[in-house]
Amino acid sequence: MNIVVIGDGGREHALAWKLKKSAAVERIFCAPGNAGTAEIGENIPIAATDFAGLVRFAKKNRIHLTVVGPDDPLAAGIVDVFEEAGLRIFGPSKTAARLEASKIFAKQIMRCSDIPTAMARAFEESAEALRFAEQLRYPIVIKADGLALGKGVIVASNAAEATEAIGAMMEKRKFGDAGRRVLIEEFLNGWECSLHALVDGDNYQMLATARDYKRACDGNEGANTGGMGAFSPADRWDRMLEAQAHEKIMKPLLRGLHEDGITFRGLLFPGLMVTKSGAHVLEFNCRFGDPETQVILPRLKGDLLPLLEATIDRRLTDVKIEWDERSAVTVVMASGGYPGNYETGKKISGLEECARLNDVHIFHAGTRRVNDKVVTAGGRVLAVTALGETLAHARERAYDAVSRIHFEGAHYRRDIAAKIENPQPNASSNS
Ligand SMILES: Nc1ncnc2c1ncn2[C@@H]1O[C@H](COP(=O)(O)OP(=O)(O)O)[C@@H](O)[C@H]1O
Ligand SMILES: [Mg+2]
């Protein structure tokens, strides 16, 4: 059968790589893809937001399944459009994807379903938001309601920073309509963890846990990025947290969605903050994480395709998911200057050498092939993943692979999966 993966990042390369291993898969297409996906399949020059183009392609090429990588096509209703056209697609409907596309909506569901989350209030008027922010104890968290490329959350350490954030979101409309409404939220102190679950409407199955690194520089300093690295499983995850994930998060959420008449089918990715009083949901994402996918999928034993099919067909209770016991670490190599301005078109060397290493996977993000060379084409360039018997071993092998890859201005964190951690910027850790 033929499959399309929508998107062009490291997550999509990892999805295409894993799907290609299924014996049932003949051709795999990536829209629009990158130099990495072009090596395992065929890139097609259709944007993730060109639904008509994607539907036409799927019909013409007898595509059995389309898998959506990024959040924005889901929020814009790509799944509804495909299903109306009689096409099979993996991901939640537009209504269900509001869990990610509206943080206020997600907060309402969490409140009604008694899911542990930060206290928060929603605002539509900046004057009201400003008045409220004045009375609070800092730090506080200000969140644009809608999708803002991972940049719509500001931890404000004082009233001046809060005023600026509210002004930028609600008045200057820095994130367009996404900032028309904001949430002002209690600051939670703890460590972060990413959960992934396949949800088939009625049932769910958890995937492996992971932790990611959002800040650009070592020690969790510098600007927020799309993600500079990750590892799996999460080191501090235990049975008690596992039980909380089921009883306090997943089950109540599915009940809450059901009561609202919303069917969620696809991948649900709750972002957690684990505090002294347990796991709290910071947000729900409605698609695979990037770079979490680059450490989760290499640990998945067996094929991914049957799991996605079971999700769509509401048969998740029938499947068994098994994990490689080993740890996985991924280190993101970025262009110099990222997440600010950066140059592209830099030649990347060392990729062939790394391809020969055992249990090392180089997932491409911002790359492009020009003649016989692979060059940089984005901020995050590669996610270099390695498996190892221990987290330390996986980390060593990932960094060994990174040391063999070169491009002008390459920037990466040296402390991914390192022992000493600094889980929360702007706060003293006491959890
Ligand atoms: N209530 C909170 N308390 C402390 N930190 C928070 C809180 N909410 C969000 N954050 C921080 O901001 C980051 C981004 O917030 P999140 O809700 O995940 O939105 P998004 O991923 O859409 O930017 C989190 O990973 C976390 O570091
Ligand atoms: Mg997040």
Side-chain angles (χ1 to χ4, degrees):
M1 58 183 68
N2 300 337
I3 292 190
V4 170
V5 175
I6 294 178
D8 63 1
R11 162 184 53 208
E12 288 77 15
H13 186 188
L15 284 165
W17 164 80
K18 188 68 186 172
L19 287 166
K20 189 70 206 285
K21 291 177 178 292
S22 296
V25 174
E26 285 157 48
R27 296 172 78 184
I28 193 145
F29 300 93
C30 221
N34 56 41
T37 61
E39 277 170 28
I40 50 173
E42 300 155 65
N43 286 351
I44 48 176
I46 308 176
T49 45
D50 178 6
F51 297 175
L54 291 165
V55 163
R56 225 177 299 125
F57 182 87
K59 285 192 167 161
K60 197 165 156 210
N61 294 276
R62 280 183 284 122
I63 299 300
H64 171 74
L65 174 66
T66 298
V67 180
V68 187
D71 51 20
D72 32 333
L74 294 169
I78 191 170
V79 170
D80 310 62
V81 171
F82 265 62
E83 287 180 346
E84 269 160 39
L87 294 164
R88 214 165 148 76
I89 186 161
F90 178 84
S93 66
K94 182 175 181 169
T95 308
R98 283 187 71 214
L99 266 186
E100 173 165 8
S102 169
K103 288 188 188 318
I104 294 175
F105 172 71
K107 193 60 93 176
Q108 282 162 352
I109 287 232
M110 286 192 267
R111 196 172 290 147
C112 294
S113 308
D114 243 339
I115 295 170
T117 184
M119 282 187 297
R121 263 180 72 171
F123 294 92
E124 293 194 12
E125 304 284 343
S126 62
E128 233 178 286
L130 288 168
R131 257 199 314 279
F132 181 69
E134 263 171 25
Q135 312 157 10
L136 300 175
R137 266 186 46 215
Y138 285 79
I140 61 170
V141 185
I142 298 163
K143 299 187 168 186
D145 177 49
L147 298 178
L149 301 165
K151 298 193 169 96
V153 171
I154 302 289
V155 177
S157 2
N158 52 53
E161 284 177 23
T163 304
E164 193 188 317
I166 292 166
M169 287 178 197
M170 301 186 84
E171 282 158 20
K172 300 202 187 96
R173 291 295 170 89
K174 188 174 174 193
F175 308 112
D177 254 6
R180 196 173 54 79
R181 300 194 295 162
V182 302
L183 269 181
I184 297 185
E185 189 167 296
E186 164 202 18
F187 179 86
L188 297 177
N189 196 6
W191 57 277
E192 289 183 56
C193 182
S194 301
L195 298 184
H196 280 63
L198 292 167
V199 181
D200 74 1
D202 305 311
N203 297 291
Y204 67 92
Q205 291 235 25
M206 304 296 291
L207 304 185
T209 57
R211 297 186 63 189
D212 80 327
Y213 293 78
K214 279 278 181 295
R215 299 293 185 120
C217 305
D218 289 0
N220 291 333
E221 308 255 348
N224 258 323
T225 69
M228 295 300 288
F231 62 88
S232 173
D235 50 342
R236 301 166 71 173
W237 192 251
D238 59 24
R239 278 177 187 285
M240 208 173 76
L241 289 168
E242 180 84 21
Q244 287 178 14
H246 289 293
E247 303 307 323
K248 304 231 177 236
I249 298 170
M250 293 304 299
K251 289 180 187 173
L253 177 68
L254 287 199
R255 272 197 299 273
L257 288 170
H258 190 76
E259 276 160 24
D260 285 358
I262 298 169
T263 303
F264 189 104
R265 275 187 303 166
L267 189 290
L268 184 81
F269 154 17
L272 304 186
M273 180 74 80
V274 183
T275 72
K276 277 188 285 192
S277 58
H280 294 69
V281 176
L282 292 182
E283 63 161 348
F284 289 115
N285 299 296
C286 295
R287 33 81 198 172
F288 285 92
D290 187 344
E292 286 89 342
T293 305
Q294 292 93 306
V295 285
I296 291 174
L297 291 185
R299 294 188 58 229
L300 174 64
K301 285 187 176 174
D303 287 347
L304 174 63
L305 182 62
L307 304 183
L308 303 188
E309 302 250 46
T311 305
I312 296 172
D313 298 332
R314 302 176 179 248
R315 289 187 287 102
L316 263 182
T317 40
D318 297 347
V319 302
K320 190 161 169 43
I321 307 181
E322 287 183 287
W323 298 99
D324 191 326
E325 292 291 318
R326 292 176 297 170
S327 293
V329 171
T330 197
V331 177
V332 170
M333 299 182 74
S335 295
Y338 173 80
N341 296 332
Y342 54 83
E343 291 175 5
T344 59
K346 309 293 183 196
K347 181 176 171 286
I348 306 172
S349 66
L351 293 172
E352 284 101 16
E353 185 189 332
C354 283
R356 287 194 292 271
L357 299 173
N358 279 333
D359 290 324
V360 167
H361 307 286
I362 312 292
F363 297 118
H364 291 222
T367 68
R368 192 154 49 90
R369 184 169 283 276
V370 177
N371 302 319
D372 59 338
K373 293 187 186 70
V374 176
V375 302
T376 64
R380 291 191 293 169
V381 177
L382 301 166
V384 179
T385 300
L387 289 157
E389 297 305 324
T390 61
L391 187 63
H393 189 201
R395 166 181 154 75
E396 216 169 274
R397 297 174 77 177
Y399 276 105
D400 171 61
V402 164
S403 73
R404 299 165 194 250
I405 298 172
H406 300 280
F407 54 88
E408 195 190 311
H411 159 71
Y412 57 90
R413 279 181 64 158
R414 320 256 156 179
D415 64 345
I416 303 302
K419 262 221 156 60
I420 301 142
E421 58 177 41
N422 173 12
Q424 264 306 292
N426 307 326
S428 60
S429 177
N430 56 5
S431 58

